[in-house]
Structure formats: structure tokens, C-alpha cells
Amino acid sequence: MDKTLVIGSTGNLGREVVDGLVAAGAAPRALSRRQGVPDEGAERVPGGVEGVVGDLRDPAMLEAALTGVRSVFLVWPFLTTEHAPAVLDAIGRHARRVVYVSSSGVDRTAGRQTDPIRQLHADMEELIEKSEVEWTVLRADTFASNARGWAAQIRAGDVVRGPDSAATAVIDERDIAAVAVRALTEDGHGGATYVLTGPHVLSRTEQVRAIGDAVGRPLRFEAVPPDVARERMLADGRPPALVDALLAGAEARQASELITTTVEDITGAPARTFARWAADRVDVFR
Ligand SMILES: NC(=O)c1ccc[n+]([C@@H]2O[C@H](COP(=O)([O-])OP(=O)(O)OC[C@H]3O[C@@H](n4cnc5c(N)ncnc54)[C@H](OP(=O)(O)O)[C@@H]3O)[C@@H](O)[C@H]2O)c1
């Protein structure tokens, strides 16, 4: 059977894509930099799924991972496009289709994007469109799973402190994955750029409150100034360039009322609410 290579298969989104492909009867191959991917247990990659070791920064390593692959699910977990042309060349030598996860904040009509993360995605979209493979771009809104970053504070107390950002239509990563599975396995999505959002525009205050409802105690969000947020994020071990990019992205994010019906249009099921995401992930916060 033709394989589907899932890059980022151990991540918040990628593991949902692996699950979705298994459920759809497709044959995923899960890429990770770590040895023994399928042996890391059900929490990361479902048992029985073929795992393969590879690093996007070493495109030559991807040749074996791509053998027999027809479709590729691609995330780009970096701040620059270094290695991307070589990775896309390797994909083009083996696969016919690539599905790339971009950001709903990208505006390709603008000369430059407003922050480094959007710029990265705009640059990646451009490279992918020039490549030989049939492509589909999924421009996703803020992932609900970003709220996992609040878990330690919620387990320890009732206040979540962090940098504020404009409200957006936060999306459940299972809904992005469901669209990705369709685009990877069905015809008719080539050349499409899908903007994917959740069903409600939510501030961080409202997200934290929804997690409180799920765990059964009142929680509140307290915005901290960017310099305080920066120090905390660095103390958590995040690389300085990533911290700066995340803070720039949070600051540049404009309030957006954008809600699309694309998840439902493509999958037939409405996008899940953040309240549902929190209820299904309650163990993360207890
Ligand atoms: N979070 C958001 O709000 C948002 C919004 C729009 C778009 N996105 C995009 O969605 C992507 C996926 O998000 P996520 O939350 O699922 O990410 P995540 O949980 O941080 O997972 C990152 C994945 O990338 C893999 N990875 C990292 N470095 C790699 C390398 N050098 N070579 C191969 N694989 C590597 C990791 O695999 P191993 O560690 O197992 O190697 C892991 O599976 C992000 O990278 C971002 O570009 C995110």
C-alpha cells in the first residue's frame, strides 16, 4: 500500500494525523528524530504504526523515509527556511502530494509579514507552490493545544500568567488533522489553501475560564508585560530566538473576527469548541 509520511508525528497535531490516517485505513509512516518511534507507546504514536527516524535538517536522511511514499504531511518547526528547498526536492523525488501546515495570520498580499513566524510560513508556502508536487496548504488558526503550556500553572494554582494576545478563533488540533487526512488521502484538494478556524473567537481570559469550567474550579488569566513573559519563557528552557518570535507574534496579532466553515465543509463535521477540547483534555490540567 502507498505510504503517507507524517513529519512531526510526535507533536500535538501530527499524532492526531497519524490516528486519523489509521482510522481512515491509510498506511502512515511516522517520522521522528528519536529512535524507536513506535515503541514510545500509545501516548505518542499508536502501536503498530511504522516509525522511521529522520531529521529535517539532514535532508539526505529523508530518502529512506520517503521510499514508497505517495503523500507527505509536512510541518516546519523552525524559524528559517534553511534546508526547506532540499527537503522539498527529496519529497518531490518520491511523493506526489504534500500537505503543509501554515498559519491563518499569513497575508500573501503584503510584502512582508508582521512577525517572523508568519514570515516563515509565507516563505514556506512560496517554496511549496514552486515545487513539483501537488500541494495543499492548511492555514490554521491558534491551536487549542497551545493551552497545554498553561498546565503547570493550573495544576499549581488558580491563575495563569502570560503574555496577552488578541482573541482569535482557536482551533482543536483534531479538526486540523481531520482536514489533513482528507487532503492526504482524497483527490480534489491540490492547489487549495484552506483557512481553518474554530467556531468561536476567544481571548486568553475566556480560554482559561473554559479550562476552569472543565476542571471544576474557577481559573483566571493575568496578562504580564512582555519583558516578564520573556524571562519566564527563557527560564522554561525555550531558545531565545523562538521566545522573541513568539512574543512578536503575540504582539503583532490583530484582533480577528474571522471564523471559517472550512472544517465542516471538508469533513462534514463542525469544528469542535474550545470547551470540548478542554473537557477532553482535562487530565492534562489536573
Ligand atoms: N501552535 C500553533 O498555534 C500553530 C498555528 C499555526 C501553525 N502551526 C504549525 O504547526 C506545527 C506543528 O505544531 P505542533 O503543536 O504539533 O508542534 P509540536 O507539538 O511542537 O511538535 C513538533 C514536531 O516537530 C518534530 N520536529 C522538530 N524538529 C524536527 C526536526 N529537526 N526534524 C524532524 N522533525 C522535527 C517533532 O518531532 P520529534 O521531536 O519526535 O523529532 C514533533 O513531532 C508547528 O511547527 C507550526 O509550524 C502551529
Side-chain angles (χ1 to χ4, degrees):
M1 191 192 280
D2 287 331
K3 287 276 176 180
T4 300
L5 183 67
V6 180
I7 295 174
S9 65
T10 57
N12 292 306
L13 174 57
R15 53 183 185 243
E16 301 295 342
V17 174
V18 172
D19 283 351
L21 287 167
V22 170
R29 180 181 287 161
L31 184 114
S32 169
R33 288 165 297 175
R34 286 165 275 175
Q35 295 286 342
V37 185
D39 300 323
E40 289 198 1
E43 190 206 339
R44 300 198 69 84
V45 174
V49 169
E50 181 190 357
V52 62
V53 174
D55 191 320
L56 291 164
R57 293 165 301 186
D58 184 358
M61 249 181 116
L62 297 179
E63 292 292 334
L66 283 161
T67 302
V69 163
R70 182 191 168 89
S71 306
V72 176
F73 175 77
L74 178 63
V75 298
W76 199 255
F78 310 112
L79 290 172
T80 76
T81 57
E82 192 189 354
H83 306 303
V87 167
L88 291 170
D89 279 352
I91 291 174
R93 278 196 293 280
H94 294 272
R96 290 205 220 140
R97 185 174 282 175
V98 66
V99 174
Y100 176 66
V101 184
S102 178
S103 160
S104 63
V106 168
D107 174 7
R108 294 274 298 282
T109 63
R112 294 292 296 169
Q113 306 300 310
T114 50
D115 69 82
I117 293 178
R118 287 179 209 181
Q119 189 60 52
L120 178 269
H121 288 303
D123 294 344
M124 285 298 295
E125 287 187 11
E126 207 173 318
L127 286 172
I128 287 164
E129 288 168 17
K130 281 192 208 138
S131 75
E132 299 295 311
V133 279
E134 180 188 288
W135 54 266
T136 307
V137 168
L138 309 183
R139 283 190 186 162
D141 211 311
T142 308
F143 292 10
S145 56
N146 293 355
R148 284 175 177 268
W150 298 331
Q153 293 190 72
I154 291 174
R155 283 195 299 264
D158 297 333
V159 184
V160 172
R161 294 184 179 86
D164 207 358
S165 184
T168 61
V170 183
I171 183 166
D172 190 315
E173 55 282 0
R174 293 172 293 188
D175 290 325
I176 310 168
V179 174
V181 168
R182 297 293 186 122
L184 288 162
T185 58
E186 292 176 354
D187 291 334
H189 302 285
T193 297
Y194 295 130
V195 179
L196 307 177
T197 76
H200 303 119
V201 172
L202 295 175
S203 65
R204 292 193 170 179
T205 296
E206 289 165 325
Q207 290 174 54
V208 169
R209 200 178 296 139
I211 296 171
D213 291 344
V215 298
R217 72 195 154 85
L219 299 175
R220 70 185 166 83
F221 178 74
E222 195 177 288
V224 300
D227 53 327
V228 177
R230 186 170 194 278
E231 267 175 40
R232 288 220 183 120
M233 289 159 95
L234 290 173
D236 284 347
R238 293 193 173 108
L242 176 63
V243 169
D244 289 340
L246 289 170
L247 288 172
E251 201 169 332
R253 184 118 214 171
Q254 302 286 318
S256 163
E257 292 300 316
L258 180 72
I259 292 173
T260 68
T261 57
T262 316
V263 169
E264 183 164 9
D265 297 343
I266 291 173
T267 68
R272 294 167 174 90
T273 62
F274 186 78
R276 165 90 186 273
W277 179 89
D280 291 347
R281 300 283 184 263
V282 84
D283 289 347
V284 172
F285 301 103
R286 278 193 175 140

